[in-house]
Structures are given as C-alpha cells and as structure tokens.
Amino acid sequence: MPNLHRLARAELPEDPAELAGFLVGKLVVRQAPEGNCEGSCSGRIVETEAYLPGDAACHAFRGRTPRNASLFLPRGHAYVYVAYGTAMMLNVSAGPPGIGAGVLLRALQPVDGIDVMQIRRGNVPLRDLARGPGRLAAALAIGRALDGIDLCADGPLFLADDLTPPGDVGRSVRIGITRDADRPLRFYQRGSRFLSGPRWLNR
DNA sequence: TTGACGATATACT
DNA sequence: GTATATCGTCAAA
C-alpha cells in the first residue's frame, strides 16, 4: 500500500464537528511494533461522532481528569477509554488547544491486513469486522497503552489520506447517548455497508 | 456496545 | 433444500 500520506496536524480542521466530517473517508493505519508487517492493518473511516466543549455527552464536560486528559491534548491525538467495562473506544482529540473535545471513530471499512483483523475479532463476517466503535478498536488491537499518542506522527497508529475521495457524507444524531442526544453530530459515508446503527439513521 | 439467538430474506446446488 | 446474509430483540458487563 504505497502512497500513504500521513495527515498533518495543520490539515485537521480546528472545529471538532468539522474534523468529524473531515475524517470520514480518511484512513486509520495500525502498525505493529518493530515494523512487523504481520500485524499491520488499516481501514477507511466511514462513521464518526463529534463531542464538543460544553457538550454534556463529552467526557471533558466536567473538566480535566487523569482519565480524560488526552482529550485536552492538541487535536490529532488518541483518546482511548473503556466503555461498558469491556469495549475500547478510540477517539481523536479535537478543538482548540486545551479545550477538551474529541471525535469518536465508530466504523471502518477494512482495507489492509484483513486477515490479522479477522484473527483478532474471531471469524466474523467482513461487514462486522469494524462496524461499531468497540469492534473497530478490537480489530485494530487498540488498548489503553495507545492513549495519548500522536495520530499525526509516525507511530503505531496514525491517520492518512485515502486514495479514493470521500463520497457523500451524511449527518445524523449520535448513537448510544442520553445527554445532548438530539444534536446532529454524527457523520457517515452514505451508501457504505460498513455503518453501525439503525438503518433509518444512515439515510 | 457487543454477542447470541430466532425469524426472515436472498442465493445457489 | 441448504447455505449465507440481514434484521430485530434480549441479556450481560
């Protein structure tokens, strides 16, 4: 997979909602330690959600804590947390420096290293490999160890441009939240079959 | 949120 | 008719 242009921080929109839309159609690349190509894989982002400052659903809403500290890093850093005591969630820090906002990566269209993702996820159908934030993190072997890393740097996990341009990007309310649940801050690639959520949200 | 399960639908030998 | 895929519901952590 040649021609991988890593996303530079300056390319990322400063506005969290803009960033969420911008990320749809981009690539997330997972590199195994020691340059071991065996465990490397990547996928095209097809679904994201923005969590803004002042947003009751945002983990930074009640201020900075050891757990959510990564949300306050300059945009483009990883914020990884555990949901439901079992599922890992991968976010991209967003917004102006020190503000505390993020973009949740919700679904991926597997691109490279499908075999290794298959191993990590069990032999589920290709469609379910990274459909849903928890599954996405599992497919990429995301753990707390990756919390706080720079996604714009050459490391174990980074963002890159995809060859094929983003198609129509749809917008809807976010999934699985109770507070501030009616704001249209979910972004998805229209027509993708790798989306999570009920069908009526993916119009 | 995910995995399991039953019902349903589409596909193909 | 058997296999594979999609959909809604339900329980668990």
Side-chain angles (χ1 to χ4, degrees):
Chain A
M1 38 140 208
N3 269 320
L4 260 190
H5 169 63
R6 234 182 312 109
L7 262 40
R9 199 174 321 286
E11 296 178 69
L12 308 181
E14 187 169 77
D15 179 75
E18 264 185 60
L19 176 61
F22 171 84
L23 252 21
V24 173
K26 297 299 187 292
L27 234 40
V28 53
V29 184
R30 175 68 159 116
Q31 290 204 304
E34 310 301 298
N36 176 5
C37 263
E38 288 268 288
S40 296
C41 61
S42 68
R44 179 184 169 98
I45 300 171
V46 295
E47 184 184 345
T48 64
E49 280 177 357
Y51 289 85
L52 314 168
D55 177 356
C58 180
H59 281 193
F61 185 58
R62 291 167 194 290
R64 178 176 181 159
T65 69
R67 185 234 202 173
N68 67 23
S70 296
L71 278 179
F72 294 80
L73 294 173
R75 65 183 186 279
H77 282 75
Y79 167 50
V80 179
Y81 69 92
V82 185
Y84 296 90
T86 167
M88 303 299 268
M89 300 284 149
L90 174 60
N91 299 63
V92 180
S93 65
I99 292 304
V103 173
L104 171 66
L105 269 30
R106 287 194 56 92
L108 246 47
Q109 171 182 348
V111 174
D112 278 315
I114 293 177
D115 48 341
V116 297
M117 292 194 261
Q118 213 101 254
I119 292 171
R120 294 176 182 140
R121 292 271 301 116
N123 291 26
V124 300
L126 176 64
R127 201 168 111 88
D128 292 341
L129 216 45
R131 191 186 57 164
R135 291 164 168 174
L136 182 156
L140 298 181
I142 304 294
R144 293 287 300 281
L146 292 173
D147 182 53
I149 70 160
D150 187 356
L151 298 176
C152 298
D154 188 2
L157 188 67
F158 61 89
L159 300 167
D161 266 319
D162 193 355
L163 302 166
T164 56
D168 284 348
V169 176
R171 195 167 173 167
S172 80
V173 295
R174 294 172 291 182
I175 295 175
I177 61 173
T178 56
R179 292 161 299 187
D180 273 320
D182 33 2
R183 309 173 75 173
L185 294 174
R186 173 175 176 267
F187 300 79
Y188 58 94
Q189 179 169 17
R190 280 222 171 81
S192 171
R193 102 165 158 241
F194 298 93
L195 298 174
S196 72
R199 219 186 175 74
W200 60 273
L201 271 188
N202 298 150
R203 285 290 153 206

